[in-house]
Amino acid sequence: MPEEKAGLPDSMKLLIGAGGIYGAFLYYGSLQEDVFRYTAADGGSFTQAWFLQVLEALANVVIGFVGMQLSGATPGIPKRMFAISGAAQVSAKACTSLALANGLSFPIATLAKSGKMAPVMAGSLLLGGASYTVREYLQVVAIIGGTAVVSMGKKKGGGSSSSSMGVFYIVMSLVLDGVTAGFQKRLKTETAKAGVKPKPYDFMFWTNLYMCLTAVVIAGGLGELTSGVAFCSANPEILSNIIKFALCSAVGQSFIFYTIANFDPLILSTVTTTRKIFSVLLSIFLKGHSLSSIGWTGIALACSGIVSEMHSKATGKKPHAH
């Protein structure tokens, strides 16, 4: 349980934490969509997902480093699992960006990512011998089924081949989310075994440093560092969106760590989950996505699964809260 801190009352701390997460990540999602929907004067579009990850991770490294200096760095942290976890995490994020670059719409990508408990459950069933309740299976079915219904209920046709690549990348992103979750558990075990307790900004700095290094190597290998810089030089308006996107990510991460430091993880889960629903709705209303009534049924089904998952966490896991 976080120690009682003098100063602000809990309600004010929650307002700061949740408000910061909502503000930063709602804008983050909007900017990410703008980056991949942007069309240059010559008809070209931005497809350098790994180059984008380099800049996003770099912003987080800078903020993480400053935070780590202010809060004091923890010595003796085992770096190997940070490297593996960072590589898996940046690959998951790059796959989400590649899904958008390949024509998958932002609402569908965001709803699909809300189903990340599916690969986590699959991994736990296959590797960990876990068991789940009927309700948990229904929640996964509702989110995945709802997302599928939304994709069928889109009024605008065309681009089926690029959208099928988009679906492939979002599935890859979900698989990598499951892998990342497994590595993060191992990371916690290894740090405990080494007798060190990394602070929030230690996690932010080291994870993002390895995310950045992984992204630099892959972006360099794919030639995205040069093509990304060239595209941004030729289209300065997209560069400002990318810079704001990277900053929103770093600021949002800081608010996430602030919330973790002051509240139970369940509170954070509730805030980030409801944020995804609002991101989807904002995108539909502000970015001109037209949905049929079938599409709206899918949105309702997916959201009901998300809210049900949140509710079961609130009621079922309270005794284990720390």
Side-chain angles (χ1 to χ4, degrees):
M1 192 134 182
E3 69 267 24
E4 284 300 313
K5 293 188 179 153
L8 294 170
D10 274 359
S11 56
M12 199 64 198
K13 286 179 186 170
L14 183 59
L15 195 65
I16 293 167
I21 292 168
Y22 268 110
F25 283 114
L26 285 174
Y27 193 33
Y28 169 93
S30 176
L31 287 163
Q32 186 178 28
E33 185 169 11
D34 290 343
V35 165
F36 288 105
R37 289 180 80 186
Y38 177 83
T39 307
D42 63 357
S45 56
F46 184 85
T47 55
Q48 291 84 353
W50 285 101
F51 172 68
L52 185 69
Q53 288 313 133
V54 171
L55 298 179
E56 184 185 350
L58 190 59
N60 278 279
V61 166
V62 172
I63 301 279
F65 181 76
V66 172
M68 197 166 68
Q69 296 312 305
L70 293 173
S71 60
T74 308
I77 293 174
K79 309 287 193 308
R80 192 176 68 92
M81 286 313 296
F82 268 107
I84 299 168
S85 153
Q89 204 171 328
V90 76
S91 301
K93 288 176 82 97
C95 283
T96 302
S97 290
L98 283 163
L100 296 172
N102 280 277
L104 196 68
S105 81
F106 180 83
I108 291 170
T110 306
L111 284 175
K113 286 286 281 184
S114 299
K116 68 167 69 173
M117 56 185 175
V120 172
M121 280 171 77
S124 302
L125 283 166
L126 295 169
L127 307 169
S131 62
Y132 293 95
T133 63
V134 172
R135 176 175 173 168
E136 284 168 319
Y137 285 116
L138 288 174
Q139 283 161 194
V140 173
V141 169
I143 294 173
I144 293 168
T147 306
V149 171
V150 174
S151 59
M152 289 186 291
K154 288 274 288 176
K155 279 185 182 168
K156 291 172 186 169
S160 60
S161 62
S162 65
S163 279
S164 59
M165 276 307 290
V167 169
F168 166 76
Y169 280 120
I170 210 74
V171 168
M172 282 302 296
S173 182
L174 282 167
V175 169
L176 286 161
D177 276 334
V179 170
T180 303
F183 284 133
Q184 283 173 340
K185 274 187 189 143
R186 294 250 316 262
L187 172 61
K188 281 183 181 168
T189 313
E190 286 207 5
T191 50
K193 215 183 285 178
V196 290
K197 195 167 191 289
K199 297 189 185 96
Y201 280 111
D202 291 317
F203 276 110
M204 185 172 180
F205 174 76
W206 289 110
T207 303
N208 280 282
L209 179 64
Y210 288 111
M211 285 172 76
C212 191
L213 292 172
T214 305
V216 165
V217 170
I218 296 174
L222 295 171
E224 286 192 10
L225 293 176
T226 46
S227 63
V229 169
F231 191 88
C232 290
S233 305
N235 304 280
E237 60 268 46
I238 200 174
L239 180 61
S240 71
N241 276 353
I242 287 173
I243 290 167
K244 285 185 280 189
F245 167 79
L247 287 173
C248 279
S249 172
V251 170
Q253 283 294 327
S254 293
F255 279 111
I256 282 177
F257 288 131
Y258 175 84
T259 308
I260 289 170
N262 287 291
F263 297 99
D264 188 84
L266 176 68
I267 299 277
L268 176 68
S269 170
T270 306
V271 172
T272 53
T273 304
T274 50
R275 192 278 303 170
K276 280 183 183 161
I277 296 173
F278 284 119
S279 276
V280 168
L281 296 174
L282 269 179
S283 175
I284 290 166
F285 291 122
L286 299 180
K287 310 282 182 184
H289 295 283
S290 51
L291 279 181
S292 63
S293 53
I294 293 171
W296 280 109
T297 307
I299 293 272
L301 181 62
C303 289
S304 70
I306 295 167
V307 171
S308 172
E309 181 201 0
M310 204 166 70
H311 179 260
S312 62
K313 277 183 185 171
T315 52
K317 291 197 179 173
K318 265 189 178 156
H320 308 292
H322 44 269

